[in-house]
């Protein structure tokens, strides 16, 4: 006599590992897109200093000035139009959900969509814009354990020369670059950081920069590392809307829809606050 053994399925779903977003550490939301699809940012020039002339100089209109010749200020405009308007939709049949022990619940599926699809897409796009728009981009180089520290110091020096703020700088690396850093005997990262920073993804401090690590699939293929001050990049998310429709017309179950309108912009006057070092494969 044969006995059929019961096959038991776990109600827990084998979820994918997905890293949380860290882009808020590298960007800002200083401009407001509410009620507008395009934001215009004005860049105003300055004038040179003069020696004060106690005798005065004659101006073109016949007047005299002891402060020097009068110059006008130029104002240029950088337009920031939101270009990324993305959406998704999927359906969960009521019977499918019931017969799988509710593991297809709409709320869980929506959370999974945000974590595994939306966050990686927005991150990848933002980091790509920052790398393309970086004001300082040296030639690609073969990064090794021996030269990684000097390369990072050179990047921070370049941002120093651009007079970017010394606080809140972020060093963005991939796991491969981070491995090179750990193999360099001259690199000693300060790891005594607050819990709040750790929760945001900071793994240490190096040369005044908060070090964060992201998967290689969220940065350009030739990514080595990037040093950035958050004031240089505006990364708005104008609309983030998710809906779960229960038993809509024509469907027995849940219809899930979502829309995300976002973009990223490197500000022209602050682009030198981003240093991007591309990596070159070693010759074989």
């Amino acid at each position: 006599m044969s006995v059929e053994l019961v096959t038991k399925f776990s109600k827990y779903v084998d979820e994918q590992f997905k890293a949380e977003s860290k882009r808020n550490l590298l960007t800002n939301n200083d401009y407001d897109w509410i009620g507008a699809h395009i934001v215009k940012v004005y860049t105003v020039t300055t004038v040179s200093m003069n020696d004060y002339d106690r005798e005065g100089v004659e101006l073109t209109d016949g007047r005299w000035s002891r402060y020097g010749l009068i110059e006008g200020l130029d104002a240029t405009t950088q337009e920031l139009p939101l270009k990324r308007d993305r959406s998704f939709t999927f359906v969960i049949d009521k019977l499918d959900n019931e017969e799988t022990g509710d593991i297809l619940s709409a709320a869980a599926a929506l959370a999974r969509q945000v974590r595994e699809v939306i966050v990686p897409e927005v991150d990848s796009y933002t980091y790509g814009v920052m790398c393309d728009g970086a004001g300082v981009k040296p030639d690609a180089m073969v990064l090794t354990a021996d030269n990684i520290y000097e390369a990072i110091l050179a990047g921070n020096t370049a941002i120093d020369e651009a007079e970017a703020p010394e606080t809140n700088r972020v060093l963005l690396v991939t796991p491969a670059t981070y491995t090179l850093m750990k193999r360099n005997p001259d690199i000693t990262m300060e790891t005594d950081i607050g819990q709040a920073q750790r929760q945001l993804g900071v793994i240490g401090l190096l040369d005044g920069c908060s070090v964060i690590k992201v998967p290689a699939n969220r940065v350009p293929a030739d990514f080595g590392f990037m040093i950035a001050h958050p004031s240089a990049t505006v990364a708005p998310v104008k609309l983030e809307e998710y809906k779960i429709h229960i038993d809509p017309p024509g469907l027995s179950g849940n219809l899930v829809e979502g829309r995300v309108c976002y973009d990223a912009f490197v500000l022209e006057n602050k682009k030198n606050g981003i240093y991007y070092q591309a990596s070159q494969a070693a010759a074989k």
Side-chain angles (χ1 to χ4, degrees), residues 186-221:
D186 296 327
I187 293 182
T188 303
M189 281 201 303
E190 182 181 342
T191 57
D192 186 17
I193 56 178
Q195 184 63 25
Q197 284 185 296
R198 290 189 183 278
Q199 290 177 345
L200 290 174
V202 178
I203 57 177
L205 300 175
L206 180 64
D207 198 33
C209 298
S210 298
V211 182
I212 63 175
K213 181 175 57 174
V214 297
N217 60 9
R218 295 196 189 181
V219 293

Side-chain angles (χ1 to χ4, degrees), residues 65-187:
S65 170
R66 296 185 180 185
Y67 293 89
L69 298 176
I70 299 176
E71 301 179 48
L73 296 179
D74 295 326
T76 58
T77 304
Q78 182 180 0
E79 292 192 352
L80 311 180
L82 290 174
K83 302 180 290 296
R84 304 285 291 182
D85 194 353
R86 306 279 284 164
S87 62
F88 68 89
T89 182
F90 58 85
V91 63
I92 299 177
D93 186 87
K94 186 175 294 184
L95 197 56
D96 288 343
N97 185 40
E98 193 274 336
E99 292 180 346
T100 56
D102 294 330
I103 65 171
L104 291 178
S105 70
L110 177 56
R112 187 179 306 115
Q113 176 75 14
V114 172
R115 182 178 67 252
E116 298 181 8
V117 179
I118 297 173
V119 168
E121 176 184 306
V122 177
D123 278 6
S124 298
Y125 178 81
T126 302
Y127 298 148
V129 168
M130 294 178 69
C131 292
D132 288 341
V136 188
K137 292 189 285 189
D139 293 337
M141 63 182 296
V142 179
L143 293 173
T144 66
D146 293 330
N147 66 19
I148 185 63
Y149 192 29
E150 290 298 325
I152 292 172
L153 293 180
N156 225 9
T157 299
I159 296 183
D160 284 339
E161 295 295 345
E163 300 186 45
E166 296 182 7
T167 58
N168 298 326
R169 293 183 188 178
V170 176
L171 169 62
L172 183 70
V173 299
T174 62
T177 303
Y178 185 56
T179 298
L180 296 179
M181 294 167 59
K182 290 192 291 184
R183 291 176 178 171
N184 187 300
D186 296 327
I187 293 182

Side-chain angles (χ1 to χ4, degrees), residues 89-95 97 104-107 243-248 251-257:
T89 182
F90 58 85
V91 63
I92 299 177
D93 186 87
K94 186 175 294 184
L95 197 56
N97 185 40
L104 291 178
S105 70
K243 301 176 182 178
I244 299 177
H245 304 280
I246 301 175
D247 294 330
L251 174 66
S252 173
N254 295 323
L255 175 66
V256 182
E257 298 173 325

Side-chain angles (χ1 to χ4, degrees), residues 53 55-68 70:
D53 190 341
E55 299 296 326
V57 295
E58 186 176 4
L59 305 179
T60 55
D61 59 0
R63 292 181 296 142
W64 287 76
S65 170
R66 296 185 180 185
Y67 293 89
I70 299 176

